[in-house]
Amino acid sequence: MAPIKNTSTVDLSVNIGGITLTNPVMTASGTFGYGREFSQFVNLDAIGGIVVKGISIEPRAGNPPQRIVETPCGMLNAIGLENVGLERFLAEKLPFLRSIKCRVFVNILGDTVEEYAYLAEKLSEHSGIDGIEVNISCPNVKKGGVAFGTIPEMAQTVTEAVKKASTLPVIVKLSPNVTDIVSMAKAVEAGGADGISLINTLIGMAIDIDKRRPRLANIIGGLSGPAIKPIALRMVWQVASAVSIPVIGIGGIGTTEDALEFLIAGATAVQIGTANFYDPSAVNTIISGIATFLEQHNETSLTNLIGSLHTGDLS
Amino acid sequence: MAPIKNTSTVDLSVNIGGITLTNPVMTASGTFGYGREFSQFVNLDAIGGIVVKGISIEPRAGNPPQRIVETPCGMLNAIGLENVGLERFLAEKLPFLRSIKCRVFVNILGDTVEEYAYLAEKLSEHSGIDGIEVNISCPNVKKGGVAFGTIPEMAQTVTEAVKKASTLPVIVKLSPNVTDIVSMAKAVEAGGADGISLINTLIGMAIDIDKRRPRLANIIGGLSGPAIKPIALRMVWQVASAVSIPVIGIGGIGTTEDALEFLIAGATAVQIGTANFYDPSAVNTIISGIATFLEQHNETSLTNLIGSLHTGDLS
Amino acid sequence: MTSIQENSRIKCSEQITEDIFRLTLHAPLIVSQAKPGQFVMVKTSSNFDPLLRRPFSIHDISTDGDLSLLYKTIGKGTSLLSTFTQGMNVDLIGPLGNGFTFSDNQNICLIGGGMGIAPLLFLARHLKALSKESCTHQVLLGARDHRELEPIAAQFLSLGYKTELATDDGSCGHHGYVSQLLPDILPTVQGVCVCGPTPFMAEVARQCRAANLPCQASMETHMACGLGACLGCTIHGSDGAYKHVCKHGPVFDANEVLWPL
Amino acid sequence: MTSIQENSRIKCSEQITEDIFRLTLHAPLIVSQAKPGQFVMVKTSSNFDPLLRRPFSIHDISTDGDLSLLYKTIGKGTSLLSTFTQGMNVDLIGPLGNGFTFSDNQNICLIGGGMGIAPLLFLARHLKALSKESCTHQVLLGARDHRELEPIAAQFLSLGYKTELATDDGSCGHHGYVSQLLPDILPTVQGVCVCGPTPFMAEVARQCRAANLPCQASMETHMACGLGACLGCTIHGSDGAYKHVCKHGPVFDANEVLWPL
Ligand SMILES: Cc1cc2nc3c(=O)[nH]c(=O)nc-3n(C[C@H](O)[C@H](O)[C@H](O)COP(=O)(O)OP(=O)(O)OC[C@H]3O[C@@H](n4cnc5c(N)ncnc54)[C@H](O)[C@@H]3O)c2cc1C
Ligand SMILES: Cc1cc2nc3c(=O)[nH]c(=O)nc-3n(C[C@H](O)[C@H](O)[C@H](O)COP(=O)(O)OP(=O)(O)OC[C@H]3O[C@@H](n4cnc5c(N)ncnc54)[C@H](O)[C@@H]3O)c2cc1C
Ligand SMILES: Cc1cc2nc3c(=O)[nH]c(=O)nc-3n(C[C@H](O)[C@H](O)[C@H](O)COP(=O)(O)O)c2cc1C
Ligand SMILES: Cc1cc2nc3c(=O)[nH]c(=O)nc-3n(C[C@H](O)[C@H](O)[C@H](O)COP(=O)(O)O)c2cc1C
Ligand code: FES
Ligand code: FES
């Protein structure tokens, strides 16, 4: 386990929806299990926040195999939102999450506005949960999900419903598969979101040329990993420039430099996703790395870095 | 220069808008110069078709440097549509293109519908041009381009105007930066397009963390290369399944296997872009490779392969 | 179960045939925890292409902390791995998965096809050390030809196992499928451990079920993490539920697996 | 001008300092066409990360078809290159670009800073072979410290050049910028060839302009193709137009370049 640099004098803390994260490095939903899976590789207490795998009211079995394909500098997944459901999450997963010090966000998904609201309400009744991340963007499930994430009015409606049902800070996670990410972001801001996380995966596909069949049983899947970083960074910059609530940057972040790019572009925090798979101690490395970078640049606080991108006279 | 396999008995020819290409492998606009630049690495006569760099009525200087950034398995470019303009294209570039045997497509761009129509009309007056590719999708120029490529009605209007002004086959090239690629494709089909090529680049960004500045002088640029292949393939499959005109697949194609994936997904032809930069003889390799693959699979004609994807019972 | 991320050092990389390699790594931390049937996730590149780690069964271990892998080059990751030379470092995560289970007083048949042989050597070494004197285990190995099979079979022979071979081209042992050797053996054993291509394992599972013998099968799927986090490594279970190979497996009771017909 | 894609073979890879390497490649086809100041595009990876080729000046050539590169490891591509060993193949495209121009009866000052020294050795060798007896060319080389500078300076000395050095830390030669050595030299030459960091070349260009001497500067930009196809490699020209380094350059008349202030 990589040592965490916490002798640093730099203040890495950030605030999202009224709660303080000791540092801006979180783990992305669906890529870090329920935390426990990584306890041998990461100092869980030191993470800024864990976002757990998306939870629905009822358990979901997910898609048939093959669920995963590697692509150049990325991967496609069509897990199909397999999850244990609300009840088992509360009974089996939450106790361990309560035992660690870092902030815990629960990613939720539903097929209707009512389902989202119900999940938000129930989760608010339990201690050990610091916030809700609303997944309106998963491309793998045919009904519901896609439309919520691509039509501003629907995104706003879900956001409003979740906000109303919940006492917890609400982050809405956006899909990148849209023409105008800024209008999506403004809609969820108008709906009362306390933060916006982006991006979820881009929709992709891979074909087995010998069998002449899609590699994924689901035909299409979500593209993640370093390949998508430039797209994610552009969207985060556009959204951070357009809204006044905190933005959490996600997409292909695997190194300290990657995380710094997103922070400079305007993200208040970042989430590490696919990188956890190939580098399970990435979160630790990045937390230390950000502290070291700030020290080397004589910054006393991370907040000076956030959104510090200069865009004037670039040639 | 890699030898071209043309002893093959397999029929590789395809038809796009009434013209026959000897094989389905073309070069993508902006990545193959005006052909001549590659004459030392590729047998130009053997290529299915060359699409030249986008031409506007007047010459354009393009964007200031830095114009290029490498990203994981991809690159961002913000060339800004630098080109010699219509007049110099006809005078200086077309004569060489006329001297080679392969099909020549001219990629055109304009800020208004009238400019597109004017270009199409003028190009139709000259011999040696086999078709027009309408670039409604370049993300680098602030006015015009972006909207044409993201609003179906505007794409249809441009298509209609170009078709009316031109006697040549018209291919419309789509931008992937949209929520619904199928509705864009249907709009240009309704506008009378003879073919659809996709995808152009995805909009991305990269930041220099030490300078806290975008790496590209234009701030944002177009992402191309293997990184985007899964997204391109998905869109090509969706579009080919929804329209009845030929689709030309573009995006991250660098190997025979890549090209075959697009053909199986339903593309009638493919274009090789970024791969020309790192592997200047890629086009030749892929033409031979497709012939060999078909022979090995006892196919006598490429047309049996096109759109042969099976999507039933995949688990 | 503890898994470790260990920066191992290559002790030697041997080419067995044009596409089969044996890689010996010094990885004392992982070796100290390893059980037969478990696997490691190997980083094959220092950059992002290939991106994901590759899963390989633990082929063998030594008392001084060496771990060996037996693999076939089939794509990007394994091809890169085959260029690695002595002294280079390889980032491993392991040991992962459940491993085979066994008791000390049963005769077991180990049957492997192709690269499915890999985990059986470690299992054979372990069984040898643990079993009662009276046990007479059986090893059945199949591969394309003698060049592929003999160097590996030699290892089982040197452990003192009765080892029968089968090759696709008949260049050594039985000419045909190794599963065709099983009917004669089944009456002499109390259990079977199998690893290899899925259709082959399905056939072995079928014979065991017919003979009412327990069969443990080591399954393969595409994996992103190997840690139980991505939920990518599913197979169909006979109970209609999905099983995750990295967590519930890779070794399954053959009756729990829904075998393709 | 003919460019060739050639699968060269590494004859030797020498580490000069912790981050400076000299790579000698057997590439007879490219060598037979090469002129001083030209460059090659080097494939540094067998997979897609890094994706693009990397441009390097031709550092030197030999009559038996060897080509050497002198490079500093600064990122992914150069780091990978530094792991390549003797006997391995490296895919090159070259020679590319225009190269330096020279006449046989002028005294030239070659001035290089950092890795800008790379193209000057090939130029020095060429000038030596072509120049009239009466010519007394000058070489000025600057680098961080003596460890970096001396092994390379030795090559110029062995060609018989008067070679003056400057280091940032004063560990050999002049303590300071190599451009500070130029004023004394300018009156003795009829032209200057410069390569190095842009601010340094801007200063050299300024001095030459003031002295009314022709100055050829070898420019660097980010390149995707090196073939004139991508239009990525622009610099600002003094005439307000963009120049493409791979096609119009890399060597420019310093007066044609818009130097940053
Ligand atoms: C638990 C387990 C143990 C294994 N043990 C061995 C072993 O001991 N020896 C051996 O030779 N092989 C073994 N394999 C298979 C091995 O993992 C693959 O051959 C290897 O991942 C191929 O990688 P590649 O980059 O060369 O191929 P590519 O085809 O380029 O790989 C592309 C992607 O597909 C995956 N993939 C391809 N083939 C397989 C496969 N058969 N199983 C799982 N994923 C695959 C890769 O991991 C990668 O993510 C094992 C697989 C599993 C799941
Ligand atoms: C005509 C020409 C000749 C050159 N000759 C030499 C030489 O002889 N010796 C030497 O050490 N270097 C030389 N360079 C610079 C060399 O190309 C870069 O150092 C190298 O590309 C860095 O690659 P990397 O992957 O290690 O760095 P990374 O930073 O990982 O590269 C990322 C991207 O930026 C580009 N890049 C980074 N730095 C430079 C740079 N300074 N110039 C151009 N592109 C850059 C890379 O090519 C790549 O596309 C030359 C550059 C040019 C244009
Ligand atoms: C295997 C896998 C499962 C995922 N599951 C979820 C999920 O349940 N809910 C969600 O909002 N995002 C999910 N995601 C998306 C990630 O949280 C993240 O937004 C995306 O992968 C981009 O980040 P990355 O490139 O760092 O992985 C999943 C991603 C992967 C790779
Ligand atoms: C440097 C560069 C310049 C390009 N110029 C044009 C252009 O002028 N017109 C156009 O329609 N597409 C242009 N493109 C887009 C390509 O034609 C192609 O659609 C895109 O790069 C995706 O394919 P690829 O991944 O194979 O490169 C350009 C791409 C690159 C990399
Ligand atoms: S491989 Fe990720 S859960 Fe099994
Ligand atoms: S590097 Fe592509 S045009 Fe110069």
Side-chain angles (χ1 to χ4, degrees), chain D residues 54-57 70-72 75-78 115 118 220-222:
Chain D
R54 300 298 193 245
F56 296 98
S57 303
L70 181 73
Y71 67 92
K72 184 177 278 185
K76 269 185 187 180
T78 48
M115 285 303 97
E220 269 188 19
T221 47
H222 288 252

Side-chain angles (χ1 to χ4, degrees), chain C residues 135-207:
Chain C
C135 290
T136 51
H137 304 303
Q138 261 287 351
V139 174
L140 304 179
L141 306 176
R144 285 176 299 194
D145 59 31
H146 72 109
R147 292 181 316 119
E148 192 171 311
L149 200 48
E150 279 165 355
I152 300 161
Q155 310 258 49
F156 289 88
L157 291 166
S158 76
L159 286 174
Y161 278 89
K162 237 185 94 199
T163 307
E164 283 185 63
L165 308 180
T167 51
D168 296 346
D169 69 350
S171 57
C172 81
H174 172 70
H175 187 167
Y177 296 140
V178 63
S179 52
Q180 294 163 342
L181 300 174
L182 195 58
D184 286 352
I185 302 297
L186 283 184
T188 72
V189 296
Q190 285 82 50
V192 172
C193 291
V194 61
C195 186
T198 303
F200 153 73
M201 291 201 289
E203 165 61 16
V204 170
R206 193 194 57 73
Q207 291 189 28

Side-chain angles (χ1 to χ4, degrees), chain A residues 40 61 64 67 70 82 278, chain C residues 3 52-54 231 234 244:
Chain A
Q40 289 153 45
R67 289 183 173 186
E70 193 182 69
E82 173 178 342
Y278 57 85
Chain C
S3 311
L52 301 173
R53 289 169 183 263
R54 300 299 192 244
L231 307 182
T234 27
H244 296 110

Side-chain angles (χ1 to χ4, degrees), chain C:
Chain C
M1 197 200 74
T2 314
S3 311
I4 300 141
Q5 182 171 2
E6 186 167 16
N7 196 13
S8 71
R9 178 169 277 260
I10 298 182
K11 286 194 116 173
C12 88
S13 172
E14 299 154 84
Q15 180 159 15
I16 293 176
T17 66
E18 62 272 21
D19 62 357
I20 299 184
F21 292 79
R22 181 163 45 208
L23 185 66
T24 308
L25 301 157
H26 190 60
L29 299 176
I30 291 175
V31 166
S32 71
Q33 304 283 332
K35 291 187 299 175
Q38 290 187 303
F39 66 101
V40 290
M41 292 292 283
V42 179
K43 207 166 144 112
T44 62
S45 165
S46 57
N47 46 39
F48 294 142
D49 183 35
L51 185 71
L52 301 173
R53 289 169 183 263
R54 300 299 192 244
F56 296 99
S57 303
I58 301 176
H59 177 46
D60 204 0
I61 62 165
S62 78
T63 47
D64 51 352
D66 291 349
L67 176 154
S68 67
L69 307 178
L70 181 74
Y71 67 92
K72 184 176 279 186
T73 52
I74 64 153
K76 270 186 184 180
T78 48
S79 300
L80 271 175
L81 206 56
S82 72
T83 66
F84 289 10
T85 51
Q86 199 183 326
M88 287 172 65
N89 290 320
V90 181
D91 181 344
L92 301 179
I93 293 175
L96 297 165
N98 57 357
F100 293 102
T101 50
F102 29 77
S103 74
D104 61 0
N105 58 3
Q106 291 192 324
N107 291 339
I108 305 291
C109 173
L110 315 188
I111 176 166
M115 284 302 98
I117 295 173
L120 301 185
L121 182 62
F122 182 18
L123 176 59
R125 187 180 297 284
H126 217 77
L127 276 180
K128 191 81 198 169
L130 291 191
S131 304
K132 294 239 165 67
E133 287 289 312
S134 57
C135 290
T136 51
H137 304 303
Q138 261 287 351
V139 174
L140 304 179
L141 306 176
R144 285 176 299 194
D145 59 31
H146 72 109
R147 292 181 316 119
E148 192 171 311
L149 200 48
E150 279 165 355
I152 300 161
Q155 310 258 49
F156 289 88
L157 291 166
S158 76
L159 286 174
Y161 278 89
K162 237 185 94 199
T163 307
E164 283 185 63
L165 308 180
T167 51
D168 296 346
D169 69 350
S171 57
C172 81
H174 172 70
H175 187 167
Y177 296 140
V178 63
S179 52
Q180 294 163 342
L181 300 174
L182 195 58
D184 286 352
I185 302 297
L186 283 184
T188 72
V189 296
Q190 285 82 50
V192 172
C193 291
V194 61
C195 186
T198 303
F200 153 73
M201 291 201 289
E203 165 61 16
V204 170
R206 193 194 57 73
Q207 291 189 28
C208 290
R209 200 165 43 248
N212 208 11
L213 277 180
C215 174
Q216 299 177 46
S218 178
M219 305 299 291
E220 271 188 18
T221 47
H222 288 252
M223 293 184 169
C225 70
L227 304 171
C230 73
L231 307 182
C233 59
T234 27
I235 56 169
H236 290 281
S238 53
D239 59 358
Y242 294 125
K243 316 271 177 198
H244 296 110
V245 172
C246 78
K247 212 168 51 177
H248 309 131
V251 180
F252 292 86
D253 179 331
N255 291 325
E256 290 177 0
V257 175
L258 183 69
W259 297 100
L261 297 180

Side-chain angles (χ1 to χ4, degrees), chain A residues 3-15:
Chain A
I4 290 278
K5 173 149 197 161
N6 50 15
T7 56
S8 170
T9 55
V10 182
D11 180 8
L12 292 185
S13 67
V14 294
N15 186 300

Side-chain angles (χ1 to χ4, degrees), chain A residues 28-31 53-54 75 77 79 81 107 109 133 135 137 173 199-201 224-225 228 250-253 271-275 277, chain C residues 230:
Chain A
S29 178
T31 67
K53 174 74 190 161
M75 62 177 277
N77 88 78
I79 307 301
L81 299 173
N107 182 282
L109 58 109
E133 185 181 66
N135 177 8
S137 46
K173 181 166 179 181
I199 60 175
N200 211 312
T201 54
S224 65
I228 69 169
I250 321 172
I253 304 175
Q271 291 180 16
I272 315 303
T274 302
F277 301 156
Chain C
C230 73

Side-chain angles (χ1 to χ4, degrees), chain A residues 73 179 203 207 212 261 310, chain B residues 73 179 207 212 261 310:
Chain A
C73 292
T179 309
I203 309 172
I207 290 174
R212 303 191 193 176
E261 283 190 80
H310 308 299
Chain B
C73 292
T179 309
I207 290 174
R212 302 192 194 175
E261 284 189 80
H310 307 298

